[in-house]
Amino acid sequence: MRAMSGDDVIEAVAGCTAALRPAVGGDWRAVRAGRLEWDCHTTAVHVADDLIAYAANLAGRARDGYLPFELTLDEGTGNADLLHVIETTGALLAAAVRTAPPGVRGFHSYPFRSADREGFAAMGVAEVLLHTHDIAEGLGLPYEPSADLAESVLTWLFPHVQPGPAPWPTLLWATGRGELPGRAPVTAWTWYNNLVIGAGRLDLVGIRPAAARDLSLGGDGGFEWIEGGPYEGTRQAAGFLLKAYETGVHRPEFGVFALVRREDGRAVGGMGFHSAPDEEGRVEIGYDLTEGARGNGYATEALRALADWAMARDDVRALFATVETGNTASRAVVARAGFVLVSEDADEVAYELRR
């Protein structure tokens, strides 16, 4: 798995400054940045401001809002010095990403109000790539980042976007900056950091497409698992998530979660939805635990938390789960979480939880 890192931030910034440096002698305030309403100077300042804000929120472990400061340039700062500021703020974000422990999150407003170190790296890279494109377009300069960087941004921040024939044109299309054959123009867009749901002694940590691909191929998905993990059911669920992503039907909030113990940051199992809710608001849940984690109440805590989260949504009216008839432990989990038995045969039993 190619995780987003501080090195990616440095690579993106280096590509930005190399592309824009030939035009530092021009008047960037007089030129509009591509399709944006901002001029090229304002857009470049915005890039630097985002980089330092992301670094601060991650390093400061901001929880409820952005840290209360913003970047202000000295009067008369020229374009060459502005590029130096971008290099510096990029280095600060890279350092914050490299030094943040796994699982640490900082505030970001949309859509789930937090991001981890990989998320902040991906957002920083996205800001640099997309706004360098805008500025370069306005100044008439050539620019195209590496396909690896563009693909990483897509798999870490755009899990709802079906992969296209090439990563960079797909990213431009997904952010309203270009066209893609066979797809309607994008007029409004957002990115998605992964959802995390607290559950007693656990956190349910949303699995991104990049991590799902790694899990489905036998990797760890970027998680530290207890011995024996991940269990086969989690790998299969990751494969289903990846297929949904590749066919353009994945909804990130109705994906798969790794069950991560707070006490040591180690994953003990997986839980998630089989799909998005149907027209009647009905959605199926599945889960498994690594053998060494069973018998500790983890599955019950996680299922209660996920059910509470789902039932608080307007688009969910019922949850259901199927269990092998002879799996008494799993049947006890769904019963303790409030599900009721609705059908039974020789092989499987079905439970449902209604609003």
Side-chain angles (χ1 to χ4, degrees), residues 94-115:
V97 170
R98 288 166 177 159
T99 56
V104 163
R105 301 182 75 85
F107 177 83
H108 188 271
S109 59
Y110 193 86
F112 304 126
R113 301 185 67 79
S114 73

Side-chain angles (χ1 to χ4, degrees), residues 4 122 125-126 129 147-175 180 183 191-192 208-210 213 245:
M4 296 298 292
V125 170
L129 266 54
D148 281 348
L149 274 183
E151 182 179 25
S152 293
V153 169
L154 286 167
T155 57
W156 285 86
L157 290 182
F158 293 84
H160 56 299
V161 172
Q162 183 180 12
W168 180 232
T170 302
L171 182 58
L172 292 177
W173 168 81
T175 57
L180 212 57
R183 302 194 191 184
W191 57 43
Y192 283 80
R208 299 171 169 102
R213 178 182 291 118
Y245 167 66

Side-chain angles (χ1 to χ4, degrees), residues 115-344:
D116 56 15
R117 61 184 185 182
E118 292 86 1
F120 275 107
M123 290 189 294
V125 170
E127 293 284 356
V128 172
L129 266 54
L130 295 170
H131 288 316
T132 301
H133 163 81
D134 298 331
I135 298 169
E137 188 173 62
L139 297 174
L141 297 171
Y143 173 71
E144 182 170 342
S146 73
D148 281 348
L149 274 183
E151 182 179 25
S152 293
V153 169
L154 286 167
T155 57
W156 285 86
L157 290 182
F158 293 84
H160 56 299
V161 172
Q162 183 180 12
W168 180 232
T170 302
L171 182 58
L172 292 177
W173 168 81
T175 57
R177 289 172 166 83
E179 298 179 355
L180 212 57
R183 302 194 191 184
V186 172
T187 57
W189 63 273
T190 189
W191 57 43
Y192 283 80
N193 280 292
N194 61 334
L195 173 64
V196 175
I197 300 172
R201 296 167 293 168
L202 304 170
D203 284 320
L204 282 72
V205 180
I207 295 175
R208 299 171 169 102
R213 178 182 291 118
D214 186 61
L215 283 166
S216 68
L217 295 174
D220 59 16
F223 298 96
E224 182 183 353
W225 294 84
I226 66 170
E227 185 176 354
Y231 204 64
E232 187 59 31
T234 299
R235 295 197 186 280
Q236 291 176 352
F240 294 144
L241 185 159
L242 183 61
K243 183 177 180 180
Y245 167 66
E246 291 174 342
T247 56
V249 298
H250 177 52
R251 284 179 60 183
E253 65 272 39
F254 288 103
V256 181
F257 301 82
L259 308 183
V260 179
R261 254 184 344 213
R262 290 180 180 172
E263 66 179 32
D264 57 6
R266 303 180 75 188
V268 299
M271 180 174 291
F273 302 96
H274 287 202
S275 66
D278 63 19
E279 293 180 354
E280 297 178 353
R282 197 163 178 259
V283 59
E284 183 173 2
I285 285 181
Y287 57 89
D288 67 16
L289 287 180
T290 300
E291 291 186 7
R294 296 173 187 172
N296 295 292
Y298 292 140
T300 301
E301 289 182 20
L303 185 55
R304 284 173 175 162
L306 190 58
D308 286 346
W309 177 87
M311 285 301 189
R313 297 176 58 92
D314 293 336
D315 53 355
V316 177
R317 301 199 63 82
L319 304 175
F320 72 101
T322 56
V323 182
E324 292 179 357
T325 301
N327 190 342
T328 56
S330 190
R331 294 181 65 168
V333 167
V334 292
R336 286 194 296 267
F339 288 64
V340 297
L341 181 66
V342 292
S343 67
E344 183 173 3

Side-chain angles (χ1 to χ4, degrees), residues 17 20-21 23-25 28 77-87:
T17 57
L20 301 183
R21 191 163 282 117
V24 293
W28 289 10
T77 298
N79 296 330
D81 286 336
L82 177 51
L83 291 184
H84 193 188
V85 172
I86 292 175
E87 289 176 328

